[in-house]
Amino acid sequence: MNTDDLIESLAGDVRRIPAGRAGRRVACCAGLGLLAAAAVVWLTLGLRPDLWAVFDEPAFLMRQVYTLSIAGFGALLLLRLGQPGAPIRLPLIGLAATFIMILAVVGVEQASLSGASHVEAWLGQSWRSCTLRVGAISLAAGPFIFLAARRLAPGRPTLAGFAAGLVSGALSASAYGLYCQEGTASFMATWYTLGILIAGLIGAAAGRYLLRW
């Protein structure tokens, strides 16, 4: 058998990967990561006592839309990075738009405040612990996201790790919102975002080694 015949024979034995399988795997692992983060919040911090009453309040909904939007676009970025040659412009635009929109909300909020209220809206009551908690809780979601990432083929493992960390951090921030009673956009846009970015940096450091292929 010559070389061309051997290549053709081997290629003929390769099973076709169903379209969308990678996306479903990432989505499934993200769901498991969210459940793991929520379980950690419930077991270590507890849920806010008025949780059922605030599900339809603007502040609660804004927080969940913000964090889950980052998780969604971060997951899409991870998926694209795991497919060599796939464009990553769309998820990057989505992430940028999410940050821009929350900054616009913060601008409107701050414009409506006066005096010491500016600082109070920014710091809240738990700014010292919020960022670290979000970053720490992301360690519960992270293994599920990296499990999905390991089944992809990222050509830039550090960047893919950062995307995986963003997803982990955003899911953790969403879960932390089940406990946190801070209600201002200024607080969320600062301390939640810092926690998500810390998770992203942890993911980048891990991805450099764990996502090599």
Side-chain angles (χ1 to χ4, degrees):
M1 178 182 291
N2 61 37
T3 303
D4 291 339
D5 291 338
L6 177 60
I7 293 174
E8 185 175 349
S9 175
L10 292 174
D13 291 335
V14 175
R15 290 183 299 173
R16 192 177 189 85
I17 299 176
R21 174 180 290 183
R24 290 192 295 271
R25 183 184 295 121
V26 171
C28 180
C29 288
L32 292 173
L34 179 59
L35 289 176
V40 169
V41 170
W42 178 44
L43 293 173
T44 61
L45 298 173
L47 304 180
R48 56 185 295 176
D50 60 344
L51 180 60
W52 298 112
V54 301
F55 266 123
D56 59 347
E57 290 188 358
F60 182 85
L61 293 175
M62 174 184 62
R63 178 163 49 212
Q64 293 303 316
V65 168
Y66 175 62
T67 55
L68 293 178
S69 292
I70 295 176
F73 286 118
L76 181 57
L77 177 61
L78 176 61
L79 184 61
R80 294 287 179 86
L81 288 169
Q83 301 171 332
I88 62 174
R89 183 177 179 181
L90 177 60
L92 290 178
I93 291 175
L95 286 170
T98 301
F99 288 122
I100 290 171
M101 283 190 289
I102 196 61
L103 289 177
V105 174
V106 170
V108 172
E109 179 182 81
Q110 287 291 320
S112 68
L113 301 175
S114 60
S117 297
H118 291 287
V119 177
E120 291 174 1
W122 178 48
L123 297 180
Q125 302 297 318
S126 59
W127 68 274
R128 291 182 180 87
S129 58
C130 176
T131 296
L132 293 178
R133 283 173 173 172
V134 170
I137 295 168
S138 73
L139 298 178
F144 295 96
I145 309 305
F146 270 85
L147 177 63
R150 290 272 296 175
R151 301 298 297 273
L152 301 173
R156 290 174 281 183
T158 301
L159 184 57
F162 180 73
L166 278 185
V167 177
S168 303
L171 294 175
S172 301
S174 176
Y176 181 69
L178 302 177
Y179 159 81
C180 179
Q181 299 189 47
E182 304 287 356
T184 66
S186 301
F187 181 94
M188 181 190 62
T190 304
W191 310 112
Y192 274 61
T193 302
L194 282 175
I196 293 171
L197 291 176
I198 286 174
L201 293 176
I202 294 173
R208 182 178 180 182
Y209 302 99
L210 296 179
L211 300 182
R212 287 179 174 177
W213 56 282

